[in-house]
Amino acid sequence: MGSKWALIRPFFLILLFHSVAIYLFTRGFLLTRTELSAYSRCSDLSHSPCSALHNSSSHDDRRCWTKPAVDRLVIIILDALRFDFLAPSSFFAEAKPWMDKLRVLQKLASGEGSSARIFKAIADPPTTSLQRLKGLTTGGLPTFIDVGNSFGAPAIVEDNLICQVDNGVMEHLLPSLYKDDWDVLIAHFLGVDHAGHIFGVDSTPMIQKLEQYNSILEKVVDVLKSQSGPGGPHENTFLVVMGDHGQTLNGDHGGGTPEEVETSLFAMSLRSPPASILSILDLNSCKLDLDGEKICIGTIQQLDFAATMAALLGIPTPFGSIGHVNPELYALSASTWDGQKMGTNNCKSWSNLEAWMQNYANTLCINCWQVMFMPTCLC
């Protein structure tokens, strides 16, 4: 009997260790996430200590959590948009064939007085489309086990920046820009993602697809600019062109390598903000583009996108968001500077900057309360 136990005991010990290892793995790496059923409401702000700042700073009837800073928002998502698809080749050690194809956006973001900006957007893995779109709209962190949902593509049931996205991008995008029955317009292009999966990044179809995007974006910008004059429908429109994740040279994505998590975000205000904005923007990453113009690139966490867009639109931040309002993206909107006397001397310019910083601080107060205290207050 003793000899049999001596043979069986190691087997049970190995089984025990394997069981513990599997338990720790499933409780750690394969985290599950409970989707919250609560939604943020305008009235929730009455629970916040920031409500006094909210009431004293503006009497705008449209105001909810923040004063609306944009009238219309156009979001164009280019699926699997690598950072080097948009950033100028001068930012990299070696120019590649797929670089500098989105020239229309590079030109808009160059120059001293530009109201446009290119960002390196950092995505959180897993870098699959469903998870990144959930992260962009909810401001939360999907877990790795959510990758399985990509094959079923269920609807996002928790509070998010948008509830539905229309199809028919190519057919409806340009005609929709002339209509006045929307506040937020979203277009999601999938061609670059498909070209990467089938042919790879360094391929003729990929370059052709990027050139096609450049042509489409040029038409979009022309339409917006043509109607951005005083009283025009796009006088205070905000344009965002962004990727949801990157991709490897083979067109793969889903993991956490720099190629997969580094994507791009381009933002432009149709109303030019004041020169004081240069004090807000981080000018450490600046180089000359192909035309010899200075172009600066900022960095943003995708986690912050939902909170920043909510602040610009003047709507409640999604209930489960843990992001913060990005100062560079927020400052691009000229309306965040409204109500300030624009001067030419240094003293008045600094006063303008101080007023904007106070406005941003008030917005951050609400942002901080939403992340840290609102779930507790409403339970």
Side-chain angles (χ1 to χ4, degrees), residues 237-309:
T237 294
F238 201 76
L239 172 65
V240 176
V241 181
M242 63 187 302
D244 53 348
H245 53 75
Q247 57 178 300
T248 66
L249 291 179
N250 294 326
D252 298 327
H253 58 86
T257 66
E259 290 178 306
E260 295 168 281
V261 301
E262 292 179 0
T263 182
S264 302
L265 186 149
F266 168 88
M268 181 178 73
S269 172
L270 272 297
R271 280 186 61 199
S272 297
S276 306
I277 190 177
L278 297 178
S279 302
I280 303 297
L281 299 180
D282 179 10
L283 303 180
N284 292 329
S285 182
C286 297
K287 293 186 179 181
L288 298 181
D289 62 12
L290 297 184
D291 298 322
E293 294 280 349
K294 186 171 77 169
I295 184 169
C296 300
I297 293 181
T299 301
I300 183 174
Q301 297 290 328
Q302 277 194 353
L303 199 64
D304 301 333
F305 179 76
T308 307
M309 291 300 104

Side-chain angles (χ1 to χ4, degrees), residues 1 5 8 95 106 108 158 179 252 254 257 285 293 327 372:
M1 185 69 178
W5 174 246
I8 297 175
Q106 293 180 2
L108 289 169
E158 62 181 311
K179 299 178 181 179
D252 298 327
T257 66
S285 182
E293 294 280 349
M372 298 184 65

Side-chain angles (χ1 to χ4, degrees), residues 175-251:
S176 295
L177 294 176
Y178 292 98
K179 299 178 181 179
D180 58 2
D181 58 351
W182 56 269
D183 296 314
V184 178
L185 178 64
I186 300 168
H188 187 180
F189 289 91
L190 293 166
V192 159
D193 189 40
H194 294 330
H197 283 305
I198 299 172
F199 304 104
V201 170
D202 192 4
S203 66
T204 300
M206 177 64 77
I207 294 173
Q208 291 174 340
K209 180 55 65 174
L210 290 172
E211 290 173 343
Q212 181 191 37
Y213 283 174
N214 187 70
S215 177
I216 295 170
L217 292 171
E218 192 169 26
K219 293 176 182 177
V220 169
V221 171
D222 287 342
V223 172
L224 294 178
K225 284 189 171 182
S226 68
Q227 302 187 57
S228 64
H234 294 299
E235 178 184 5
N236 191 27
T237 294
F238 201 76
L239 172 65
V240 176
V241 181
M242 63 187 302
D244 53 348
H245 53 75
Q247 57 178 300
T248 66
L249 291 179
N250 294 326

Side-chain angles (χ1 to χ4, degrees), residues 101-171:
K101 302 306 177 188
L102 301 178
R103 294 280 288 136
V104 61
L105 301 185
Q106 293 180 2
K107 290 180 179 179
L108 289 169
S110 64
E112 292 290 343
S114 173
S115 60
R117 182 79 162 171
I118 292 175
F119 295 84
K120 176 191 287 186
I122 309 299
D124 296 288
T127 49
T128 49
S129 294
L130 174 63
Q131 283 63 51
R132 294 319 324 134
L133 293 175
K134 287 177 67 174
L136 284 169
T137 57
T138 66
L141 285 172
T143 57
F144 185 82
I145 201 169
D146 283 340
V147 172
N149 291 332
S150 294
F151 302 102
I156 304 174
V157 297
E158 62 181 311
D159 193 7
N160 59 86
L161 188 63
I162 56 168
C163 292
Q164 296 180 354
V165 179
D166 292 334
N167 296 322
V169 178
M170 294 292 294
E171 180 182 354

